[in-house]
Amino acid sequence: MKAHPPTTRPAGTAQPPPESRRVRAAWTLALLTTLCAELTFTAVAVPSTWLLLPLLLVMYGAGVLLIREAVVRFGGGLPSLVALGLAYQLAEDGLGLQALNSPDMYDAADWGLRALGINWTYWESQIGIHVVLSVVLPVMIADLIFPHLRERPYLRTGGLTATGSLALLGVLGLRFFISATEDPGYRTPTGWTLTYLAGIALMVWLALRVLPRRRRRPGARRDRKAPHPFVVGFVSLYLTMAFLTTLLPLGLEGDLLLGDTMSKPFLLVVAAMTAIPFAWLAARWGTAGNWSDVHRLWLAGGILVSHTAFMMPGSLTSFLVGLATTGLEVLALRALARHLRQPHAAPAPAPGRTW
């Protein structure tokens, strides 16, 4: 009987089966979404938010995982992700929480402009928060952790169906647990409910049918250079704080920082004048010849740290919890930086990938 030499594998190079990697990536994205959107923000001022982790995982995790899977399966890119992020925000704040219309939910009507039955200042703030913090950033970080799955689905058909069902349950959970508790008896006017449904359908159509056909994959521009990663991180931190403080009271307590210096409608314009150039700048950096995963990490880190720091002035508890949360964020980002330095960690990104 012929003996076969034992198969040897260098220590530390064993890889889990592809199915295991996909499942692990899906769970990681669900957790990242919940952490980025809520647990590094609301939980700073209200630590008991951690008790809602199961609901938050369903609400945020399943919803954003569904978005990511749809974009990948239909061949979309960042524009498709943003369009579905807008649909997600309408589903959560418009249909689930009903906070876009409620005059009492979270006192959002007192933060800025309310007209035609809509809390416009709250709406604009949540567009920025949910598109970036709930959708784009977690997907980008998951791509950094699992670079070989950047353009591949995490889920099979059965998993996708289950995720879609959980996402729907998450919206219903917001309606019947959070909204019913915070603003009992309130019902969004039928006209606005139909408007939100139409807006969601439009965003889904654009994201999955129109934008993938127009997707371009231009090569990186060697004549364009992104700044040092530290500069990217500082700019993202500063502009995130500028956007948040324009539309929301620091720590969600008290009055708007600029409320006495500008009219409520003009504050919406100022916030847009911060967010839109920031998005343009990040997209421009992403096409630079020297843009790298390290730049992406600093971009994400600046936004996340600023997002948490915004909540810290609310109270002494918020300050201490926020300080601890910021420290954990920095440690996690450093660990991811070490992961990126491993030779096998990150393959070359897809041409023209800006996120």
Side-chain angles (χ1 to χ4, degrees), residues 15 140-150 291-297 335-350 353 355:
Q15 294 291 333
M140 184 174 72
I141 295 172
D143 282 348
L144 293 176
I145 299 174
F146 301 97
H148 297 283
L149 297 176
R150 282 181 177 177
W291 184 253
S292 67
D293 283 345
V294 176
H295 287 90
R296 291 183 179 91
L297 187 61
L336 183 51
R338 289 194 296 271
H339 171 75
L340 294 178
R341 285 197 293 268
Q342 297 176 11
H344 62 280
R353 189 66 166 265
W355 50 284

Coordinates of all heavy atoms in Angstrom, one line a residue, residues 15 140-150 291-297 335-350 353 355:
Q15 N -7.8 28.6 6.1 CA -8.9 29.4 5.7 C -10.2 28.5 5.9 O -10.2 27.4 5.6 CB -8.8 29.8 4.3 CG -7.7 30.8 4.0 CD -7.9 32.1 4.6 OE1 -9.0 32.5 4.9 NE2 -6.8 32.8 4.9
M140 N -18.7 49.3 3.7 CA -17.3 49.6 3.4 C -16.4 48.8 4.4 O -15.4 48.2 4.0 CB -17.1 51.1 3.4 CG -15.6 51.4 3.0 SD -15.4 53.2 2.9 CE -15.4 53.7 4.6
I141 N -16.7 48.9 5.7 CA -15.9 48.2 6.7 C -15.9 46.7 6.5 O -14.9 46.0 6.6 CB -16.3 48.6 8.1 CG1 -16.1 50.1 8.3 CG2 -15.6 47.8 9.2 CD1 -16.7 50.6 9.6
A142 N -17.1 46.2 6.2 CA -17.2 44.7 5.9 C -16.4 44.3 4.7 O -15.7 43.3 4.7 CB -18.7 44.3 5.7
D143 N -16.3 45.2 3.7 CA -15.4 44.9 2.6 C -14.0 44.9 3.0 O -13.2 44.2 2.4 CB -15.7 46.0 1.5 CG -16.9 45.7 0.7 OD1 -17.5 44.7 0.8 OD2 -17.3 46.6 -0.1
L144 N -13.6 45.8 4.0 CA -12.2 45.8 4.4 C -11.9 44.5 5.2 O -10.8 44.0 5.1 CB -12.0 47.0 5.3 CG -12.0 48.4 4.6 CD1 -11.9 49.5 5.7 CD2 -11.0 48.5 3.5
I145 N -12.9 44.0 6.0 CA -12.6 42.8 6.7 C -12.6 41.5 5.9 O -11.8 40.6 6.1 CB -13.7 42.7 7.8 CG1 -13.6 43.9 8.8 CG2 -13.5 41.4 8.6 CD1 -14.7 43.9 9.8
F146 N -13.5 41.5 4.9 CA -13.7 40.4 4.0 C -13.4 40.8 2.5 O -14.4 40.8 1.7 CB -15.0 39.7 4.1 CG -15.4 39.3 5.5 CD1 -16.1 40.1 6.4 CD2 -14.9 38.1 6.0 CE1 -16.4 39.7 7.7 CE2 -15.2 37.7 7.3 CZ -16.0 38.5 8.1
P147 N -12.2 41.2 2.2 CA -11.9 41.8 0.9 C -12.2 40.8 -0.3 O -12.6 41.3 -1.4 CB -10.4 42.1 0.9 CG -9.9 41.2 2.0 CD -11.0 41.0 3.0
H148 N -12.1 39.5 -0.1 CA -12.3 38.6 -1.2 C -13.8 38.4 -1.5 O -14.2 37.7 -2.5 CB -11.7 37.2 -0.8 CG -10.2 37.3 -0.7 ND1 -9.4 37.3 -1.8 CD2 -9.4 37.3 0.4 CE1 -8.1 37.4 -1.3 NE2 -8.1 37.4 0.0
L149 N -14.7 39.0 -0.7 CA -16.1 38.9 -0.9 C -16.7 40.2 -1.3 O -17.9 40.4 -1.3 CB -16.8 38.4 0.4 CG -16.5 37.0 0.8 CD1 -17.1 36.7 2.2 CD2 -16.8 35.9 -0.2
R150 N -15.9 41.1 -1.7 CA -16.4 42.5 -2.0 C -17.5 42.5 -3.1 O -18.4 43.3 -3.0 CB -15.2 43.4 -2.4 CG -14.4 43.9 -1.3 CD -13.3 44.8 -1.7 NE -12.5 45.3 -0.6 CZ -11.4 46.0 -0.6 NH1 -11.0 46.4 -1.8 NH2 -10.8 46.4 0.5
W291 N -5.3 56.2 -3.7 CA -6.4 55.9 -2.8 C -6.3 54.4 -2.4 O -6.1 53.5 -3.2 CB -7.7 56.1 -3.4 CG -8.9 55.9 -2.5 CD1 -9.8 54.9 -2.5 CD2 -9.3 56.8 -1.4 NE1 -10.7 55.1 -1.5 CE2 -10.5 56.2 -0.8 CE3 -8.8 58.0 -0.8 CZ2 -11.1 56.8 0.3 CZ3 -9.5 58.5 0.3 CH2 -10.6 58.0 0.8
S292 N -6.3 54.1 -1.1 CA -6.1 52.8 -0.6 C -7.1 52.4 0.5 O -7.9 53.3 1.0 CB -4.7 52.7 0.0 OG -4.5 53.5 1.1
D293 N -7.0 51.2 1.0 CA -7.8 50.8 2.1 C -7.5 51.5 3.4 O -8.3 51.7 4.2 CB -7.7 49.2 2.3 CG -8.5 48.4 1.3 OD1 -9.3 49.0 0.6 OD2 -8.2 47.2 1.1
V294 N -6.3 51.9 3.5 CA -5.9 52.7 4.7 C -6.6 54.1 4.7 O -7.1 54.5 5.7 CB -4.4 52.9 4.7 CG1 -4.0 53.9 5.9 CG2 -3.6 51.6 4.8
H295 N -6.7 54.7 3.5 CA -7.5 55.9 3.4 C -9.0 55.6 3.8 O -9.6 56.4 4.5 CB -7.5 56.4 2.0 CG -6.2 57.1 1.6 ND1 -5.2 56.4 1.0 CD2 -5.7 58.4 1.7 CE1 -4.1 57.2 0.8 NE2 -4.5 58.4 1.2
R296 N -9.5 54.5 3.3 CA -10.9 54.2 3.6 C -11.1 54.0 5.1 O -12.1 54.4 5.7 CB -11.3 52.9 2.9 CG -11.4 53.0 1.4 CD -11.9 51.7 0.8 NE -12.0 51.7 -0.6 CZ -11.0 51.5 -1.5 NH1 -9.9 51.1 -1.1 NH2 -11.3 51.6 -2.8
L297 N -10.1 53.4 5.8 CA -10.2 53.2 7.2 C -10.2 54.5 7.9 O -11.0 54.7 8.9 CB -9.0 52.3 7.6 CG -9.0 51.9 9.1 CD1 -10.3 51.0 9.4 CD2 -7.8 51.1 9.4
A335 N -7.0 47.5 15.2 CA -7.0 46.1 14.9 C -7.3 45.9 13.4 O -6.6 45.0 12.8 CB -8.0 45.4 15.7
L336 N -8.2 46.6 12.8 CA -8.5 46.5 11.4 C -7.3 47.0 10.6 O -7.0 46.4 9.5 CB -9.7 47.2 11.1 CG -10.2 47.1 9.6 CD1 -10.3 45.7 9.1 CD2 -11.6 47.9 9.5
A337 N -6.6 48.0 11.0 CA -5.4 48.5 10.3 C -4.3 47.4 10.3 O -3.7 47.2 9.3 CB -4.9 49.7 11.0
R338 N -4.2 46.7 11.4 CA -3.2 45.6 11.4 C -3.6 44.5 10.5 O -2.8 43.9 9.8 CB -3.1 45.0 12.8 CG -2.3 45.9 13.8 CD -1.9 45.2 15.1 NE -3.0 44.8 15.8 CZ -3.7 45.5 16.8 NH1 -3.2 46.7 17.0 NH2 -4.7 45.0 17.4
H339 N -4.9 44.2 10.4 CA -5.4 43.2 9.5 C -5.1 43.6 8.0 O -4.7 42.8 7.2 CB -6.9 43.1 9.7 CG -7.6 42.2 8.6 ND1 -7.5 40.8 8.6 CD2 -8.4 42.6 7.6 CE1 -8.2 40.4 7.6 NE2 -8.8 41.4 7.0
L340 N -5.3 44.9 7.7 CA -5.0 45.4 6.4 C -3.5 45.3 6.0 O -3.2 45.2 4.8 CB -5.5 46.8 6.2 CG -7.0 47.1 6.3 CD1 -7.3 48.5 6.2 CD2 -7.7 46.3 5.2
R341 N -2.7 45.3 7.0 CA -1.2 45.2 6.7 C -0.8 43.8 6.4 O 0.3 43.6 5.9 CB -0.4 45.7 7.9 CG -0.4 47.2 8.0 CD 0.7 47.7 8.9 NE 0.5 47.3 10.2 CZ -0.2 48.1 11.2 NH1 -0.7 49.3 10.8 NH2 -0.3 47.7 12.4
Q342 N -1.6 42.8 6.6 CA -1.3 41.4 6.3 C -1.2 41.2 4.8 O -2.1 41.7 4.1 CB -2.3 40.4 6.9 CG -2.3 40.5 8.4 CD -3.4 39.6 9.0 OE1 -4.0 38.8 8.3 NE2 -3.6 39.7 10.3
P343 N -0.2 40.6 4.2 CA -0.1 40.5 2.8 C -1.3 39.9 2.1 O -1.6 40.3 0.9 CB 1.2 39.6 2.6 CG 1.9 39.7 3.9 CD 0.9 39.9 5.0
H344 N -2.0 39.0 2.7 CA -3.1 38.3 2.0 C -4.4 38.9 2.3 O -5.5 38.5 1.9 CB -3.2 36.8 2.5 CG -3.4 36.7 4.0 ND1 -2.4 36.9 4.9 CD2 -4.6 36.5 4.7 CE1 -3.0 36.7 6.1 NE2 -4.3 36.5 6.0
A345 N -4.4 40.0 3.1 CA -5.7 40.6 3.6 C -6.5 41.3 2.5 O -7.7 41.1 2.5 CB -5.4 41.6 4.7
A346 N -5.9 42.0 1.6 CA -6.7 42.8 0.7 C -6.2 42.7 -0.7 O -5.1 43.1 -1.0 CB -6.6 44.3 1.1
P347 N -7.0 42.1 -1.6 CA -6.7 42.0 -3.0 C -6.9 43.4 -3.6 O -7.4 44.3 -3.0 CB -7.7 41.1 -3.5 CG -8.9 41.2 -2.6 CD -8.3 41.5 -1.3
A348 N -6.4 43.6 -4.8 CA -6.6 44.8 -5.5 C -8.1 45.1 -5.6 O -8.9 44.3 -6.0 CB -6.0 44.8 -6.9
P349 N -8.6 46.4 -5.3 CA -10.0 46.7 -5.4 C -10.4 46.7 -6.8 O -9.6 46.8 -7.7 CB -10.1 48.1 -4.7 CG -8.7 48.6 -4.9 CD -7.8 47.5 -4.8
A350 N -11.7 46.5 -7.0 CA -12.3 46.6 -8.3 C -12.0 47.9 -9.0 O -12.0 49.0 -8.3 CB -13.8 46.4 -8.3
R353 N -13.5 51.5 -7.9 CA -14.2 51.4 -6.6 C -13.8 52.6 -5.8 O -12.6 52.8 -5.5 CB -13.8 50.1 -6.0 CG -14.6 49.7 -4.7 CD -16.0 49.4 -5.1 NE -16.7 48.8 -4.0 CZ -16.9 47.5 -3.9 NH1 -16.4 46.7 -4.8 NH2 -17.6 47.0 -2.9
W355 N -15.3 53.2 -2.7 CA -15.7 53.0 -1.3 C -15.2 51.7 -0.8 O -14.7 50.9 -1.5 CB -17.2 53.2 -1.2 CG -18.0 52.3 -2.1 CD1 -18.2 52.6 -3.4 CD2 -18.7 51.1 -1.8 NE1 -18.9 51.6 -4.0 CE2 -19.2 50.7 -3.0 CE3 -18.8 50.4 -0.7 CZ2 -20.0 49.5 -3.1 CZ3 -19.6 49.2 -0.8 CH2 -20.2 48.8 -2.0

